[in-house]
Amino acid sequence: MSKDTVFSGRVWVLAEGGHLIEDIDTDQIYHNAHLHITDIGEMGQYALGNLKGWEDFFSMAEPGDILAAGRNFGAGSSRQQAVDCFRALGVAAILAPSFGAIYFRNAVNSGFPLLRCLELSDWIQDGTLENGDRIEIDLRTGKGKNITKGSVFETEGMSRVQVAVYETGGLFAYGKAIESDGVK
Amino acid sequence: MGLTFSEKILGGKAGKTVRAGDVVTVSPDYLLSHDNSAAIIKEFNKLGLEKVQNPEKIVIILDHIVPAAAEKYAQNHKEIREFVAAQGIRHFFDIHHGICHQVFSENGFARPGRLILGADSHTTSYGALGAFAAGIGRSELASIWATDEIWLRVPETLRIVMTGRFQTGVSAKDVILKIIGDNGADRANYMAVEFSGEAAPSFSISSRLVLANMAAEMGAKNGYFPADAVTLDWLRTRSNEVSEPVLSDEDAVFETELEYDLKSIEPQVACPHTVDNVRPVRELEGMPFHQALIGTCTNGRLEDLEAAAAIMKGKTVPSHVRVLIIPASASVYREALRRGLLEIFSEAGCVILNPGCGPCLGAHQGIMAPEETTLSTANRNFRGRMGSRDSQIYLASPETVAASAVRGALTDPRGIQ
C-alpha cells in the first residue's frame, strides 16, 4: 500500500529575529534526559523541548504540519528519538538547507521526509515563506506551492531510495517488499 | 583515476568498483551498540524473527549510564542481558568494562579495512585504526541484525594534510578543535575525512582516536588515519590476526585538501553551544568555571591522564572547583592505578569515577545546575547536554583542563609545563 507523495500542511518556521535557527542539534530536538524511552508514542511531548521558545511545540503541533529550519538541522547524536518525536506528533516533513548526516539516514529509514532546499533562508528573509503559511509539496519532484501566498518554489526532492522507503512505510517494510519482489 | 580509502573498502564489500556518490548494499564486519540496545531489541522484536542473522558480528557494550542510575536504566540493562543470553551473543561487555569506543578498540574489533557500523555517532572513532566506521540509527541496526545488510552512500573525501610538530602543551584535541572551528560543524556532512600528511605517522593511536572521534562533529560519515606501522604494532599486542592497510591511491580524487601546520596550533577551546564556536584559550584566559571533566571517548585514555597528572602532580584543586576524572576503560583505569596517576588525582582533590560515559550525556555523575559551567575534554557542548539548559560547556584538551583545574580558571597550559 503506497503512501501519497503529494501533501499539504501548515508551516512552522523555526526562526529567531527573522532568521532560521541554525545547528539545531539532537539535544535541542530531543533532550538526553528522555533517552531511556523506547516507545514512540511517548516521544512526541519532548519534541523541540530543549529549543528556546519552542518548548511548547508538542501542544501546538497538529498532524500534517511541516517544519522549516536552518542549516545542519539534527546535528550530533545518532538518537532516533529526534526523528521519532516528530513522527509521533504526525509532523509530515521537515525542510532545511542541510541536515546532520545520521539524522538524515534515520529519517530516510523511518520513511520520514526531509527535504533539502538551499534557498530556504532567503525565502524566510524575503517573506516568500512565513510561519503559518499553508504549502503543498510533491516529494517526488521536490516542487512546492505556497497556497497561502499563491507562489511556487522548489526543493531538492527525495532520492529514489528515499521515495521507495517512504512509500512502503519504513526500512523494514521496504526490505520485505524488496525480498518479495525477488530483487534482493 | 585512483580510488579513495572509502571507495576501496565499500567497493570491496560490494564486490565491484564504486565511486563517491554511488549507493551500495554491503554486509558490515561488526555492529556496535550500547545501552540503546534496549531500543534496538524492541525494533528487532517487531520483525517477528526468532534469531539474529549473525551473533558473532554483534558487539554490545554497556557504558552510557553505568551502573544504572535509576530503575528505568536498570530495566533497559536487564532486557539487554536477557537478549544477549537468548541470542548467544558472545561479544557482550557489561557495566565494568568502560566506554564502548575504547573497549571496542582495545579488544581488536577495529582493524584496517574493516567495515564497522554502530548505533552511536562517535563510531567514527575506529577510523583511527584504518577501518571504515560510521554511526547509524537504531532501526537500521536492528535491520542489520535481521538481514546482515545495509545500504550506504559512498562518501566524498575531505583530506586534512598535517605537517610539523605540536608545541609543548598542545595536543590532538587542539588541532581538531581548530579544524572544526575554521570549517564549521557541517563542513564534512555525509563525507569522509582523511587525516594524513607527513605529520600523521607521528600521532599515537590514542591521538588518532581523538581526531577520528571528533570527525563526527564536522558532520562526517567517517574519519580515518591511513593505517601504518604504528597501527599494526598497536594491533599486534591485541590479536594474532593479520590486517592489510587500505590506503587512498596517489591519484585518488578528493573533494578538498586543507593544510594544517601543527607548530602553528595553539591551545583551543570550543565555547557554548556549538563545537565550531572555537577560540584560542589565551583569549579567554582567566575565565571562571565550576566543574572540570577529564575523560570520555574523546580524551579519557592513558595518554590523556598522564598529561593531566603531570600538570596536577603535587597541586591541589581550589575549593570553588570540582574535578571529575573518568578513565575511558577498566584497562586504562588499572594502568593509571599502577602508574600512580590516580593517586596524584586523588591527592589533588579530584573525584575519580568508574569507567563509562559519566556526565557527558547528562544522565548522571556530575549534572549541572542553571548558571553553572563545565570545562570538559568531551566532544560536545550542545546546550543543556550536561544538565540544565542554562548551563554552559567549554571543550578543551586534557592539558588545558588540568592546568585550568588546579588554577581554578581557564589557563593556557603552555606556560605551566
Side-chain angles (χ1 to χ4, degrees):
Chain A
M1 182 63 187
S2 275
K3 280 197 276 182
D4 203 350
T5 55
V6 182
F7 59 83
S8 62
R10 170 181 64 163
V11 176
W12 292 98
V13 177
L14 302 181
E16 201 173 20
H19 295 277
L20 286 171
I21 307 171
E22 299 185 338
D23 295 310
I24 296 177
D25 57 64
T26 47
D27 272 302
Q28 293 179 68
I29 298 171
Y30 190 93
H31 194 260
N32 49 43
H34 317 300
L35 284 186
H36 62 281
I37 296 172
T38 55
D39 178 1
I40 184 167
E42 292 174 33
M43 295 176 192
Q45 58 187 309
Y46 303 113
L48 299 180
N50 192 35
L51 179 64
K52 200 175 170 197
W54 293 87
E55 294 88 346
D56 299 331
F57 177 72
F58 77 95
S59 62
M60 307 184 292
E62 281 169 27
D65 285 354
I66 295 165
L67 283 177
R71 54 168 263 285
N72 208 21
F73 184 84
S77 149
S78 64
R79 70 188 63 160
Q80 201 164 317
Q81 290 97 329
V83 171
D84 288 345
C85 61
F86 295 121
R87 292 173 59 218
L89 293 175
V91 170
I94 302 177
L95 313 179
S98 66
F99 295 92
I102 303 177
Y103 193 82
F104 196 79
R105 279 190 75 89
N106 277 337
V108 171
N109 288 329
S110 307
F112 181 65
L114 297 186
L115 292 163
R116 282 185 281 231
C117 33
L118 293 172
E119 302 88 2
L120 191 61
S121 313
D122 301 338
W123 301 340
I124 302 304
Q125 280 174 50
D126 66 20
T128 308
L129 186 64
E130 287 181 288
N131 200 44
D133 282 358
R134 229 188 139 65
I135 62 172
E136 181 184 283
I137 300 178
D138 183 335
L139 296 176
R140 249 175 230 284
T141 62
K143 289 188 193 308
K145 252 190 264 178
N146 187 329
I147 299 166
T148 307
K149 300 216 161 49
S151 55
V152 295
F153 59 87
E154 272 193 50
T155 73
E156 273 184 30
M158 300 207 300
S159 68
R160 261 180 39 212
V161 178
Q162 249 183 303
V163 173
V165 176
Y166 172 78
E167 286 189 316
T168 49
L171 184 64
F172 295 138
Y174 174 61
K176 280 183 184 156
I178 292 178
E179 278 170 27
S180 61
D181 283 354
V183 232
K184 194 178 174 193
Chain B
M1 191 171 68
L3 297 168
T4 65
F5 165 90
S6 301
E7 289 166 339
K8 284 187 183 178
I9 294 181
L10 295 179
K13 289 285 175 194
K16 58 183 181 185
T17 303
V18 302
R19 294 287 179 186
D22 291 350
V23 173
V24 294
T25 300
V26 289
S27 171
D29 294 307
Y30 282 109
L31 303 165
L32 167 82
S33 55
H34 42 67
D35 303 37
N36 64 359
S37 304
I40 299 168
I41 291 165
K42 211 161 255 182
E43 294 281 341
F44 178 79
N45 287 340
K46 279 189 211 156
L47 301 175
L49 298 171
E50 212 156 282
K51 288 281 180 186
V52 298
Q53 273 277 335
N54 190 345
E56 287 301 300
K57 288 187 175 184
I58 298 176
V59 181
I60 296 179
I61 304 169
L62 299 186
D63 64 356
H64 270 48
I65 296 126
V66 293
E71 187 181 336
K72 59 197 180 186
Y73 303 121
Q75 179 62 28
N76 283 351
H77 288 176
K78 178 168 176 271
E79 285 168 18
I80 295 166
R81 291 185 190 108
E82 287 165 358
F83 184 81
V84 160
Q87 294 287 336
I89 294 168
R90 288 194 307 135
H91 305 310
F92 173 62
F93 298 84
D94 215 316
I95 62 161
H96 57 295
H97 289 86
I99 307 175
C100 63
H101 302 308
Q102 184 62 19
V103 173
F104 191 98
S105 305
E106 284 173 357
N107 281 276
F109 294 116
R111 305 187 73 87
R114 278 205 177 141
L115 173 60
I116 298 159
L117 299 174
D120 185 275
S121 51
H122 295 111
T123 301
T124 55
S125 300
Y126 315 130
L129 291 152
F132 182 105
I136 59 173
R138 68 177 139 78
S139 292
E140 298 191 285
L141 205 84
S143 159
I144 312 174
W145 282 3
T147 64
D148 201 25
E149 278 190 343
I150 185 79
W151 66 270
L152 288 175
R153 182 182 165 282
V154 183
E156 287 80 14
T157 303
L158 172 70
R159 183 185 234 180
I160 310 276
V161 180
M162 299 182 291
T163 57
R165 293 288 177 270
F166 286 121
Q167 304 168 39
T168 305
V170 179
S171 64
K173 185 62 157 291
D174 298 303
V175 68
I176 190 65
L177 287 178
K178 174 80 175 144
I179 292 168
I180 297 168
D182 287 353
N183 297 285
D186 60 350
R187 175 61 183 85
N189 262 0
Y190 320 115
M191 297 173 71
V193 179
E194 174 171 312
F195 297 102
S196 53
E198 55 103 340
S202 71
F203 279 70
S204 65
I205 294 300
S206 191
S207 293
R208 294 178 193 197
L209 282 159
V210 177
L211 273 67
N213 177 278
M214 289 201 68
E217 305 313 317
M218 308 170 72
K221 179 180 247 0
N222 61 313
Y224 62 94
F225 274 72
D228 58 13
V230 176
T231 321
L232 300 180
D233 284 347
W234 194 89
L235 285 168
R236 207 164 288 132
T237 62
R238 282 160 178 86
S239 97
N240 294 322
E241 207 174 324
V242 181
S243 301
E244 271 301 304
V246 176
L247 308 172
S248 294
D249 288 329
E250 288 286 325
D251 56 345
V253 181
F254 298 100
E255 195 247 24
T256 314
E257 294 200 23
L258 301 170
E259 292 189 11
Y260 281 86
D261 178 3
L262 301 185
K263 75 172 182 302
S264 71
I265 305 282
E266 53 180 324
Q268 307 284 320
V269 59
C271 305
H273 295 285
T274 54
V275 185
D276 57 3
N277 186 14
V278 175
R279 291 168 67 184
V281 170
R282 65 178 160 74
E283 288 183 10
L284 296 167
E285 182 88 27
M287 182 196 79
F289 58 91
H290 305 88
Q291 178 171 269
L293 164 61
I294 299 174
T296 77
C297 57
T298 314
N299 280 117
R301 282 171 282 279
L302 198 63
E303 176 177 295
D304 306 309
L305 299 184
E306 285 200 309
I311 292 168
M312 298 178 84
K313 187 170 186 175
K315 303 196 178 88
T316 321
V317 173
S319 57
H320 65 280
V321 170
R322 40 193 200 264
V323 182
L324 312 176
I325 305 284
I326 314 180
S329 70
S331 144
V332 170
Y333 189 103
R334 285 192 299 272
E335 195 54 33
L337 187 67
R338 273 187 214 112
R339 296 189 189 188
L341 309 181
L342 299 188
E343 191 175 357
I344 292 171
F345 294 132
S346 181
E347 283 176 350
C350 305
V351 177
I352 300 165
L353 291 162
N354 61 303
C357 299
C360 177
L361 60 138
H364 68 161
Q365 295 183 330
I367 301 307
M368 283 189 285
E371 316 305 331
E372 285 196 319
T373 300
T374 292
L375 179 63
S376 166
T377 62
N379 45 33
R380 281 198 181 128
N381 59 353
F382 298 162
R383 184 189 283 277
R385 182 170 168 91
M386 285 179 67
S388 164
R389 59 164 286 116
D390 297 317
S391 62
Q392 310 204 75
I393 305 167
Y394 288 77
L395 307 175
S397 72
E399 290 85 348
T400 298
V401 177
S404 305
V406 290
R407 190 180 145 207
L410 188 63
T411 300
D412 186 326
R414 286 176 300 178
I416 298 247
Q417 296 203 325

